[in-house]
Amino acid sequence: MKTIQTQEEKFRMMTEDPIPGLVGKLAIPTIISMLITSIYNMADTFFVGQIGTSATAAVGIVFPLMSIIQALGFFFGHGSGNSMSRKLGEQDTQEASFLASAGFFLALLTGLCITCLGLIFINPLANLLGATPTSIAYVKAYLRIILLGAPWMTASLVLNNQLRFQGSAFFAMIGIGTGGILNMILDPVLIFVFDLGISGAAIATIFSQFVSFCLLLMGTRRGGNIRIKLSCFRISGERLATIAGGGLPSLFRQGLGSISVIALNLAARPYMDAAIAAMSIVSRISFFAASALIGFGQGFQPVCGFNYGAKKYERVREAFWFSMKIAVVILSILAVAGLVFAEPLITVFRKDDADVIRIGTLALRLQCITLPLQSWIILNNMMLQTIGKTFKASLLAMSRQGLFFIPAILILPLIFGLFGIQLSQPVADVASFILALPLGIETLNEMKQTTP
């Protein structure tokens, strides 16, 4: 696939090329990006794990704040990106330009607000996130630096999603992938060679994210991509409503994900740093397993948006079912691998802490059992959000980490103790699948009935 295309060439490609090859071409760069991202998330946990259990716990404790930053980036990125893809499908390039600039500059300003407020209230923020007496020093050291990078971390997610939704997954991959690889290189250098400890891991993260931000911004100026211009930053009630409608599912999903991690850390706090560290490691490994599906789904999204905008609903259905078949196979293979190799995987991160290994091994195996169900949950959520079904998409986005996980993590530990903590995510996954089943079937049937 050519990496530089005019907007007319992109439109023809999205609405005319055979679905399997088209989704595959768009999915490969996004899968690579997601795998690199998840690998460098695990690299952070691995290298910090060499410092000690309390430091590993601190990374897990700060993770919800990073998820909030990501939630806002995805809110503006998906909100502007999926509406851009529909406008490009309608061949309304001017409105797509206005949406792109609005999403970018609003995200940049929001990130700056997070930096200022977070640094002012760093002590109560650390406690709110679930810091323990033995980890709070590590938490504050890591948190203080991460907050500085919030503006470009938020804005880079917007650029990444906007490029993907335009069918320019290659440029998005270059930006995200380069930052991820750089992060993995800088982690051991700053942590051990320069003896910066956990602060070195945070510096590596925000510097790498800044490099990604610069490369993604350059990518918007290549070929037929929509360029970010201050002159196109025109806010209107209708435009804000469009971005909010498209981004709310992402905000709910990521935002509730942050709250769920805080709830998890608080539930695990009575079992001390070993439980928090173990669940943090399991979260990283589970995200790696799901990243292949998310990457493949991100290849499906621009195809979905362009063709829905062009009223080619049968192509949307074809792309969905093709993606679903691939997703089920991938996640089933990864689930079996996780069940078999759970203990060695946890041991890689904390080989000298038997409690972390014991807690993490069971938790990972339980999550692997329900891993294939995420195929239906995630792909339906992506489809509903991309075609503008805000209520259904938001409901499904809130389910896994919010509507079902938060009650589970509050109730199950009271009944089963530590096992209840390990069991909470699989229970939430089953409940989310049951909710997603009728939502997806109904929407697919609607498109079948309205196909011209």
Side-chain angles (χ1 to χ4, degrees):
M1 184 178 68
K2 293 195 300 181
T3 57
I4 298 179
Q5 297 174 300
T6 64
Q7 289 171 356
E8 291 78 11
E9 288 173 329
K10 280 185 185 180
F11 178 81
R12 287 196 298 272
M13 178 186 75
M14 290 291 188
T15 57
E16 296 177 11
D17 281 11
I19 290 296
L22 178 59
V23 172
K25 285 188 293 186
L26 294 172
I28 289 172
T30 58
I31 290 172
I32 293 171
S33 297
M34 289 301 303
L35 289 176
I36 291 174
T37 298
S38 59
I39 288 170
Y40 89 69
N41 280 335
M42 290 194 294
D44 262 356
T45 305
F46 173 78
F47 290 119
V48 171
Q50 311 311 302
I51 301 172
T53 298
S54 294
T56 306
V59 173
I61 289 165
V62 176
F63 183 72
L65 176 75
M66 297 180 70
S67 294
I68 290 171
I69 293 171
Q70 291 175 351
L72 292 165
F74 281 121
F75 171 72
F76 292 112
H78 282 160
S80 57
N82 60 47
S83 51
M84 283 171 62
S85 70
R86 295 197 301 272
K87 289 298 178 184
L88 291 172
E90 296 168 9
Q91 298 184 297
D92 186 353
T93 305
Q94 184 180 54
E95 183 58 25
S97 298
F98 292 153
L99 288 164
S101 294
F104 173 80
F105 287 111
L106 288 171
L108 199 64
L109 292 171
T110 301
L112 185 60
C113 290
I114 292 173
T115 299
C116 296
L117 291 172
L119 292 174
I120 291 170
F121 299 105
I122 192 165
N123 288 322
L125 179 59
N127 288 315
L128 177 64
L129 291 171
T132 63
T134 52
S135 67
I136 192 164
Y138 291 110
V139 170
K140 288 170 67 175
Y142 194 74
L143 183 58
R144 190 174 287 111
I145 295 169
I146 291 297
L147 284 166
L148 294 174
W152 61 82
M153 290 168 71
T154 308
S156 66
L157 285 169
V158 174
L159 295 172
N160 174 46
N161 283 290
Q162 288 181 352
L163 286 168
R164 284 195 308 100
F165 276 105
Q166 293 176 72
S168 294
F170 175 81
F171 293 116
M173 178 192 72
I174 294 298
I176 295 297
T178 302
I181 293 169
L182 181 61
N183 194 97
M184 287 184 277
I185 294 170
L186 289 177
D187 262 340
V189 173
L190 295 179
I191 293 172
F192 304 115
V193 177
F194 287 91
D195 198 27
L196 294 176
I198 197 169
S199 296
I203 293 169
T205 296
I206 67 166
F207 180 76
S208 301
Q209 292 276 357
F210 182 71
V211 172
S212 290
F213 169 76
C214 294
L215 291 173
L216 290 166
L217 193 58
M218 290 169 58
T220 65
R221 307 188 70 81
R222 300 295 302 275
N225 292 325
I226 300 295
R227 300 189 176 192
I228 303 297
K229 299 178 182 177
L230 188 58
S231 60
C232 289
F233 181 37
R234 302 181 184 181
I235 298 299
S236 68
E238 183 180 356
R239 205 162 286 136
L240 286 173
T242 298
I243 292 174
L248 275 175
S250 295
L251 184 62
F252 287 137
R253 180 172 55 249
Q254 296 290 130
L256 285 171
S258 303
I259 295 171
S260 72
V261 176
I262 295 173
L264 174 61
N265 290 337
L266 292 173
R269 186 154 60 178
Y271 303 95
M272 301 309 294
D273 292 346
I276 298 175
M279 298 309 296
S280 175
I281 291 168
V282 170
S283 296
R284 296 297 197 279
I285 296 173
S286 299
F287 178 75
F288 177 78
S291 64
L293 166 61
I294 295 170
F296 200 87
Q298 288 176 345
F300 157 72
Q301 281 182 298
V303 179
C304 176
F306 266 80
N307 284 284
Y308 193 83
K311 302 188 186 309
K312 297 192 174 186
Y313 304 126
E314 190 54 41
R315 282 177 62 84
V316 177
R317 285 170 46 83
E318 183 185 352
F320 174 85
W321 286 116
F322 170 75
S323 301
M324 181 61 63
K325 293 172 187 175
I326 300 296
V328 170
V329 172
I330 292 173
L331 288 194
S332 297
I333 292 171
L334 291 174
V336 172
L339 285 166
V340 174
F341 299 108
E343 185 172 340
L345 285 170
I346 301 296
T347 304
V348 168
F349 295 91
R350 289 299 298 150
K351 62 183 178 182
D352 57 350
D353 195 320
D355 287 336
V356 171
I357 295 169
R358 174 178 56 82
I359 296 168
T361 298
L362 179 57
L364 181 57
R365 284 178 173 151
L366 290 170
Q367 291 195 26
C368 284
I369 293 172
T370 59
L371 186 63
L373 300 182
Q374 291 190 41
S375 304
W376 184 263
I377 299 167
I378 291 175
L379 284 175
N380 271 286
N381 200 182
M382 288 181 166
M383 176 181 68
L384 291 168
Q385 184 173 2
T386 303
I387 66 177
K389 301 283 187 180
T390 303
F391 176 76
K392 290 181 180 179
S394 298
L395 181 63
L396 190 52
M398 290 189 292
S399 65
R400 185 171 180 265
Q401 298 289 14
L403 295 178
F404 300 123
F405 179 82
I406 292 175
I409 197 64
L410 292 175
I411 296 169
L412 293 180
L414 298 177
I415 303 172
F416 301 108
L418 179 59
F419 181 63
I421 295 172
Q422 297 164 313
L423 191 62
S424 294
Q425 189 62 70
V427 168
D429 286 348
V430 172
S432 297
F433 174 77
I434 293 171
L435 173 65
L437 203 56
L439 292 178
I441 291 173
E442 180 185 19
T443 301
L444 289 165
N445 285 338
E446 284 176 2
M447 282 192 281
K448 185 176 183 179
Q449 292 168 6
T450 54
T451 297

